[in-house]
Amino acid sequence: MDKHLLALASTFLIGGAVYGQTSGIVKGKVVDTQNNPLSSVTVSIGDKKVRTDHSGHFRLHGVDQNTVIKFTYMGYQTTVIDYVFSTKSPEVIIDAITLVSNEQAIDEVEVFGERNKKLKGLEMITRMPLKPSDQIQSISVISNKVIQDQGILTLTDAVRNIPGVTLFGSYGGVKESLSTRGFRGVPVLKNGVRMDSQFQTASGVVDMQGVESIQMIKGSAAVTQGVITDIGNAGGVINVVTKTPNFTNSGEVGVRAGSWGQFRPTFDFQTVLDKKQTVAFRMDGAYERSDSYRKSVSSNRVYLNPSLAWKPTDKTTITLEGDYFNDNRTPVNSAVNLNPSQGVNALYVIPNNKFLGFNSDNNNTEMKSFMAQINHELTDRWSIRASIATSSYQVDNQSSSSSLIKDDAKQYNTFSRSMSKSLRDDKNKTFQFDLIGKDLYTGKVKHLVQAGVDYRIADATTTSFAGKLSPLEKNVLLKKADQNSNVIDIIDIHGDWVNDL
């Protein structure tokens, strides 16, 4: 009797074990004929469907024995494989699936955007390696396609494509400070690093030749990056992403000419440096000079943006990039208030053939930045991202201004003119480290986990000079102002981040 019961129990246990292993997990990677990963490829078994991530990987649950796996992707031939499930292991990694291009299968179309793709540089401000559609924040993106089609040359022109963002002040036409949702001074970052230490980010001067995209987190979601002394703001935060190699061989040269003597030659070339396609280099540059409809006003600038990308292994990418920007232009005050009370709007617009300044008025802005970043996949589920960046923002501004004074007849029709000079040396350093886990499961609940730390140092020094002008006076001596001279502001910021989606 006992022997029969033991045999019957053994049969149920064996049967249960076999039944429990009739389905499992299949993982793999989808690439093209050049061994480049393909994202958003549809991988299906009957009604079950998943899509590959940005690195071409996929993961299928509940794969039965003797099943057929189908791989479909627009512009490529559909591939079908017969898969026989092994009962020895509940999780199997199959060889890379190669899809062959089928260019004749679809008609020619013009694409204005990229769907289901993780944008370059977006994780610098969101800290999560997700596509914009998967992010929990409200994000607007201005692509390089839009920048080129609209002929955008300034950050102000670019953000007009984002509802609710306006120019707060140009400071005589030499800077760009933006405003949104009632908040003055939206922080403007370059590759996730502050361009200056002021919370108004008055140094938002960018040459669009080196811009890959402009991304903005709108609303209170941006406060997760900190406020005032950090890179966030309750109104939003703007991130300017610069161009890096795409591991292709291409080049482009352009010239733009316009009114008032505008002349702007540009170039952009990139190349792969080795046969294994593991090292690539890119260089962007621009020069621009122009006059103005206003007499005695001119500008010129030089911009360079070199970058190098290296893939020592299939799971590791190292990127080095930097840019140099040098801009000289005449600061302009084109209006004067004729009422002694600043609360009364009585602006007198200066005629176009008049200029209240001097030939010596000039604003020089020099910006330099460098970033090194590494992305490494530890396993199929875990990866790390680390970056270190530095930026330098230096301004030498000499300008003149007019103010209304009260003459002997007590008539406010006399103006005095003063000259001022200001220097600013602003340096920022940032270190970021993130540990990211994807496709993590708690039962049937899927997780994407990120934990990270960042450390930022801001060091700014400002010096102000001022002098009063009398009629026909020459060789005006500029002296240090009584206040706000040599103001040194050093900020040391440390932050920790943990997210779970």
Side-chain angles (χ1 to χ4, degrees), residues 63-81:
V63 181
D64 298 328
Q65 291 184 357
N66 302 324
T67 191
V68 175
I69 305 178
K70 182 187 292 186
F71 301 85
T72 55
Y73 195 44
M74 182 174 289
Y76 289 80
Q77 297 178 8
T78 299
T79 300
V80 177
I81 64 170

Side-chain angles (χ1 to χ4, degrees), residues 282-323:
R282 186 170 188 173
M283 172 68 83
D284 293 274
Y287 168 78
E288 182 177 359
R289 63 91 47 215
S290 65
D291 298 318
S292 172
Y293 65 89
R294 188 174 298 281
K295 184 180 179 181
S296 303
V297 176
S298 63
S299 65
N300 67 82
R301 69 168 53 171
V302 176
Y303 177 77
L304 294 173
N305 173 217
S307 56
L308 179 73
W310 176 39
K311 295 181 179 179
T313 68
D314 293 338
K315 296 184 177 181
T316 306
T317 302
I318 299 174
T319 304
L320 305 176
E321 59 178 307
D323 67 353

Side-chain angles (χ1 to χ4, degrees), residues 121-361:
L122 186 59
E123 69 277 4
M124 294 290 186
I125 53 174
T126 64
R127 309 306 293 268
M128 297 291 282
L130 298 172
K131 303 185 294 292
S133 58
D134 295 335
Q135 298 284 353
I136 59 176
Q137 299 102 327
S138 174
I139 300 174
S140 296
V141 179
I142 304 170
S143 67
N144 183 256
K145 173 72 174 174
V146 174
I147 294 173
Q148 288 182 338
D149 288 351
Q150 296 183 0
I152 295 173
L153 294 180
T154 66
L155 184 62
T156 301
D157 289 339
V159 298
R160 286 174 180 159
N161 293 281
I162 305 176
V165 184
T166 58
L167 177 67
F168 172 79
S170 63
Y171 301 90
V174 299
K175 301 176 183 179
E176 294 177 278
S177 181
L178 304 172
S179 177
T180 183
R181 302 195 177 190
F183 290 91
R184 170 192 173 186
V186 179
V188 179
L189 318 178
K190 183 179 289 184
N191 298 318
V193 181
R194 261 194 179 274
M195 298 170 65
D196 69 3
S197 61
Q198 291 181 332
F199 76 94
Q200 301 101 331
T201 313
S203 66
V205 182
V206 178
D207 194 290
M208 290 296 150
Q209 176 61 21
V211 176
E212 180 77 24
S213 66
I214 297 175
Q215 306 155 356
M216 180 176 184
I217 298 179
K218 296 188 290 184
S220 58
V223 302
T224 59
Q225 304 294 327
V227 293
I228 305 299
T229 58
D230 214 324
I231 63 176
N233 185 275
V237 60
I238 296 174
N239 187 37
V240 178
V241 180
T242 55
K243 296 177 180 177
T244 54
N246 295 319
F247 286 87
T248 60
N249 295 310
S250 64
E252 180 179 302
V253 177
V255 176
R256 179 170 178 169
S259 303
W260 316 110
Q262 183 193 37
F263 178 68
R264 178 181 169 86
T266 60
F267 67 90
D268 178 7
F269 73 87
Q270 55 181 322
T271 182
V272 181
L273 300 180
D274 65 335
K275 295 182 179 180
K276 295 182 178 180
Q277 293 191 336
T278 60
V279 183
F281 177 76
R282 186 170 188 173
M283 172 68 83
D284 293 274
Y287 168 78
E288 182 177 359
R289 63 91 47 215
S290 65
D291 298 318
S292 172
Y293 65 89
R294 188 174 298 281
K295 184 180 179 181
S296 303
V297 176
S298 63
S299 65
N300 67 82
R301 69 168 53 171
V302 176
Y303 177 77
L304 294 173
N305 173 217
S307 56
L308 179 73
W310 176 39
K311 295 181 179 179
T313 68
D314 293 338
K315 296 184 177 181
T316 306
T317 302
I318 299 174
T319 304
L320 305 176
E321 59 178 307
D323 67 353
Y324 175 79
F325 175 87
N326 194 310
D327 181 275
N328 287 279
R329 61 185 58 241
T330 308
V332 180
N333 294 314
S334 57
V336 176
N337 196 358
L338 298 179
N339 193 292
S341 174
Q342 296 299 311
V344 178
N345 186 353
L347 292 180
Y348 169 68
V349 179
I350 301 171
N352 293 347
N353 62 346
K354 300 294 183 180
F355 177 61
L356 295 183
F358 296 89
N359 292 331
S360 59
D361 287 3

